[in-house]
Amino acid sequence: QPVLTQPPSVSAAPGQKVTFSCSGSSSNIGSNSVSWYQHLPGTAPKLLISENNQRHSGIPDRFSGSKSGTSATLGITGLQTGDEADYYCGTWDSSLSAVVFGGGTKLTVL
Amino acid sequence: EVQLVESGGGLAQPGRSLRLSCAASGFTFDDYALHWVRQAPGKGLEWVSGISWNSAKIDYADSVKGRFTISRDNAKNSLYLQMNSLRAEDTALYYCAKDFSGDVWGVDYWGKGTLVTVSS
């Protein structure tokens, strides 16, 4: 079972806004920064957000990140069909001495 | 441009071994930690192992501890994963990934992966 908890799926219409939640504990999200990744099948995962809310190079400002306590959130505005992908959160777990990921959330743009 | 190219995947019988390699370019290799992350069919991302810039810090997921060994050759800009005592549950696409820093912390860039299938 993944250490971080993400809902398995989310859907929204083109042009709308969607949020992805990621829940952890004091040993991971609660004490370390969170990253978010976009993964399309057959391709390399792509870093969207690092350090909770810093967009990676080349990532448009439609993507945003935030963290509060032991939870983190990724937001996407102005949804496009090209945004359909799996989205993962990840962080360092100080107790496990391991990088941990959520189980991923599949985004469907209706 | 950061490039990470994995190789060495293939079909292996349970109990046998495989060695994965990752050739890196586009960044100062010995400034950064590196990782192996895998994705089993139909599953999410699972971190396997990480190694710091100077190999002083190495960590493993519990699922591979004692069976897999990560190593790096800074002179060759290469990362390796020696996988012994393979199990069916090790079947996955294995990604080589670069860390944000020299210590084992988190991932920014990923390769496209190499497929490992463990089956008799």
Side-chain angles (χ1 to χ4, degrees):
Chain A
Q1 288 284 37
V3 172
L4 306 180
T5 300
Q6 296 183 254
S9 63
V10 65
S11 61
Q16 296 299 302
K17 175 181 177 178
V18 67
T19 59
F20 302 80
S21 63
C22 176
S23 178
S25 67
S26 58
S27 65
N28 43 67
I29 293 178
S31 52
N32 299 298
S33 59
V34 177
S35 301
W36 289 92
Y37 305 89
Q38 179 190 64
H39 190 205
L40 292 114
T43 69
K46 180 167 73 173
L47 175 66
L48 299 173
I49 301 285
S50 63
E51 296 180 77
N52 306 322
N53 56 19
Q54 301 299 303
R55 279 187 303 278
H56 190 55
S57 174
I59 302 302
D61 60 7
R62 301 190 297 111
F63 294 83
S64 64
S66 64
K67 187 182 95 168
S68 177
T70 59
S71 294
T73 301
L74 171 72
I76 309 176
T77 59
L79 270 176
Q80 302 172 2
T81 55
D83 295 330
E84 281 202 339
D86 297 319
Y87 291 82
Y88 293 88
C89 56
T91 187
W92 178 255
D93 191 298
S94 304
S95 293
L96 296 175
S97 287
V99 174
V100 292
F101 294 102
T105 299
K106 182 176 182 61
L107 170 64
T108 300
V109 181
L110 302 167
Chain B
E1 180 193 2
V2 172
Q3 289 200 337
L4 300 162
V5 181
E6 304 91 339
S7 61
L11 176 64
Q13 293 181 327
R16 302 302 289 265
S17 300
L18 275 178
R19 188 191 194 213
L20 306 184
S21 299
C22 172
S25 61
F27 63 100
T28 304
F29 185 82
D30 51 12
D31 277 352
Y32 293 93
L34 297 163
H35 303 262
W36 289 100
V37 180
R38 68 185 181 184
Q39 184 175 33
K43 303 291 186 182
L45 301 173
E46 179 192 16
W47 178 81
V48 173
S49 181
I51 184 169
S52 65
W53 68 277
N54 61 356
S55 303
K57 181 169 189 258
I58 290 176
D59 293 298
Y60 296 98
D62 286 344
S63 58
V64 306
K65 207 170 287 185
R67 300 188 299 122
F68 290 10
T69 303
I70 191 172
S71 63
R72 62 188 294 162
D73 186 336
N74 287 349
K76 296 182 177 180
N77 283 14
S78 293
L79 174 71
Y80 306 99
L81 185 68
Q82 178 66 42
M83 304 187 297
N84 298 333
S85 303
L86 283 163
R87 305 169 180 169
E89 54 264 36
D90 295 320
T91 294
L93 187 61
Y94 284 73
Y95 295 102
C96 168
K98 171 188 165 293
D99 201 289
F100 298 108
S101 73
D103 199 3
V104 177
W105 189 248
V107 173
D108 53 9
Y109 290 94
W110 305 65
K112 293 184 178 181
T114 186
L115 182 62
V116 172
T117 302
V118 183
S119 174
S120 55

